[in-house]
Amino acid sequence: MPGEANSHARAVAAFARLANAPGQSSIGGPAALSRAAGLPQSSGYRAAGQAEAAGLLVRDTEGVYRAGPAAIRIGLSALGFGDLSYFAEPILVETRYSVGATACLAVLAGDKLKVGPWSTGRGRDYVRPGPLYHWHGERPRGGPVTAMLTVAGDEARRHRFRLVPLCEREGRIACLTAILPAGMVRLPEAHERALTLACERFASVTS
């Protein structure tokens, strides 16, 4: 029926706007999420609760919204790496602790690096990444690379990444990455080893 179809279309549009809002800035609480998504507060609260219940949104240790496990599976599946999503969370948390920096799973597709999911801690050494970065230079096929990248749509934000390739499919490269704290140009040797070990864990559970 037309009315039911319109209701479904509105619901899908609302969830899409909610899912995109956390990537734009650090948003905590359903009221702020509703404003960022441009939704009325009443429907925004309801949709945010439903999105959390469905695993499309979660809140991190600081109460800030980020994509939930269901959204991550959908996104990684669209890029051809859906199998990585099932093991990403525990490996990223462990990597963040062992490396002492924000740990991310990212996919290099063409001239863009798509970031997510990630694990970040508290304090100035932990960087909250943007959802998309401009890529230029060497592609990480032969081994780890370090690159200073600019957030797409926010040229003032630049982060230094240490990327280790996990696998390549249809021209896209999935990487385990660490975002180096400001002023750091390379990972300490012990942290580099920890990043390599984390990549081996990914390989062991996806092979």
Side-chain angles (χ1 to χ4, degrees):
M1 298 177 63
E4 186 176 349
N6 288 337
S7 296
H8 286 315
R10 285 195 298 270
V12 170
F15 282 126
R17 288 159 76 178
L18 286 172
N20 288 332
Q24 299 164 12
S25 58
S26 299
I27 298 171
L33 185 65
S34 300
R35 288 193 297 272
L39 295 171
Q41 194 167 101
S42 57
S43 57
Y45 265 82
R46 185 169 59 253
Q50 291 170 341
E52 285 192 77
L56 294 169
L57 289 174
V58 295
R59 281 185 258 191
D60 63 17
T61 55
E62 296 178 339
V64 173
Y65 280 108
R66 60 183 178 85
I72 289 166
R73 281 195 296 274
I74 293 168
L76 286 174
S77 294
L79 294 169
F81 299 100
D83 55 323
L84 299 182
S85 67
Y86 295 98
F87 313 99
E89 190 72 22
I91 294 176
L92 289 175
V93 170
E94 184 178 346
T95 304
R96 182 245 296 177
Y97 279 115
S98 59
V99 175
T102 298
C104 313
L105 186 60
V107 176
L108 180 57
D111 63 350
K112 296 291 188 295
L113 184 74
K114 303 173 188 291
V115 175
W118 66 81
S119 178
T120 185
R122 301 187 182 197
R124 63 182 183 180
D125 286 345
Y126 292 96
V127 177
R128 187 176 298 280
L132 190 67
Y133 289 78
H134 295 296
W135 180 268
H136 47 269
E138 178 187 2
R139 293 170 70 82
R141 282 196 173 99
V145 299
T146 301
M148 179 69 82
L149 304 178
T150 303
V151 177
D154 188 354
E155 307 304 314
R157 290 181 68 198
R158 302 177 73 224
H159 298 136
R160 191 181 301 276
F161 283 78
R162 182 63 170 168
L163 304 99
V164 184
L166 295 172
C167 52
E168 181 172 357
R169 297 171 186 168
E170 298 183 357
R172 304 183 185 103
I173 304 174
C175 302
L176 180 61
T177 77
I179 304 181
L180 278 58
M184 182 183 289
V185 296
R186 59 178 297 176
L187 283 175
E189 186 176 341
H191 292 175
E192 185 75 29
R193 285 199 302 270
L195 192 61
T196 301
L197 285 172
C199 289
E200 292 174 359
R201 291 189 189 95
F202 263 115
S204 69
V205 296
T206 57
S207 59

